[in-house]
Amino acid sequence: MDILCILSSLLILYLIFKIWKHIDSKRDQNCYILDYQCHKPSDDRMLSTQISGEIIRRNKHLRLNEFKFLLKAIVSSGIGEQTYAPCIYFEGREESPTIQDALSEMEEFYIDTIEKLLKRNKLKPKDIDVLVVNVSMLNSTPSLSARIINHYKMREDVKVFNLTAMGCSASVISVDIVKNIFKTYKNKLALVVTSESLSPNWYSGNNRSMILANCLFRSGGCAVLLTNKRCLSPRAMFKLKCLVRTHHGAREDSFNACVQKEDELGRVGIHLDKTLPKAATRAFVDNLKVITPKILPVTVLFRFMLSLLLKKLRRSPSKGSTSNVAQAAPKAGINFKTGIDHFCIHTGGKAVIDAIGYSLDLTEYDLEPARMTLHRFGNTSASSLWYVLGYMEAKKRLKRGDRVFMISFGAGFKCNSCVWEVVRDLSVGECLGNVWNHCIDQYPPKSLLNPFLEKYGWIREEEDADTFKFRT
């Protein structure tokens, strides 16, 4: 009998040990953001509307209608007068870039951000265990990740991932890669480097669906330090709660919504199709269907399902016309603020921000970080999310326990999103290294109206009903 009791006790202790070990191992799989550093190019690379107009005029293939179309896109885009562009734009060489131009643009960015990030956190390059680099429009040999390893003399066993052609949603994809690595390997430090190469990607033709990209994208980038080390968790800024990736590449219209290709005369550019708004909306809705149950309280979800059922029983679907915004982004019909405190939206354009704001029923306060980022830094592709996050931090909005919802879109067509929890109070103290520190007191400005709107007032005349309302 005693032996039986002893065996039973040992079995119970073993089960308790296994349960504890399983729970304890989960703690080593957490993904934390230790710190991040956004890039601020030098002031001599500021791109005003006037300079943009002068650069556009250099394209000898543009007719008056295309010139009007581009100026209209610029002055109504929500982009301000202090964004940045590559050096070759100011040197008049945008139509004849070299490989060295592209590499120099990237070197300036990653040397600035990585060195500041490592120095601030008292780390050495050899401390990095995982390196993930995403730059969509540059595929050099050796790769950018190899160039970073060479420049900083990182360890030979560093795990390296070099992503290209992922579009504006590449930051969340990079975080997903790190998250999955952390599930397998304990006590690791990861460095995510995200930017976009503009120098070799100027379109010199006059195809309307391809010239828009020339006006909408700006220089920028960010380096992010992540870890799953328990000893570093007290220093962490954010903890990843969930991440969802939606890919509609199997759909032909979604796949062709944003494509790099040649025009009729063989000039390479990014084609933004008229199906882009529909593709983005569809991907956004499908992404929300998956992530919503992960981030909202059960009671809210239950009330939403009940109200949806009652609506279907009481009335038939309404008929008639709806507004353009509603067509582009239907309302979710659920209060996301019950589970989310801040919304970090990709700055793909004014219409992107408006559509997401309408869909999620957000206030101007919620949309302010994205609008101000678009105004100050423009659409910096995959790195734009981190500038939006930086604005929230600089404005002392982020308090311990708050949840931040990141939403991004990319070619393919993709919609990727994730939720971060603020693990220490970021609303107090100095925001060391924040890219907004030099100008945060000036935001939000009294008006976001483009100062050249009066000068270029003639371009506001309607000329084409088919305008792009959802850009990535």
Side-chain angles (χ1 to χ4, degrees), residues 159-213:
K159 301 186 188 317
V160 188
F161 300 85
N162 194 90
L163 308 181
T164 60
M166 292 289 115
C168 299
S169 63
S171 278
V172 179
I173 296 174
S174 298
V175 170
D176 189 40
I177 290 174
V178 172
K179 181 197 75 170
N180 289 323
I181 292 174
F182 284 173
K183 287 182 179 180
T184 306
Y185 299 94
K186 298 180 181 179
N187 299 316
K188 299 299 178 184
L189 271 172
L191 178 64
V192 170
V193 181
T194 175
S195 184
E196 190 53 274
S197 176
L198 302 184
S199 293
N201 293 294
W202 180 268
Y203 172 65
S204 58
N206 59 5
N207 188 309
R208 281 200 178 192
S209 68
M210 300 170 76
I211 55 179
L212 265 178

Side-chain angles (χ1 to χ4, degrees), residues 15 50 223 236 282 298:
L15 290 174
Q50 182 174 350
R282 190 163 49 210
V298 176

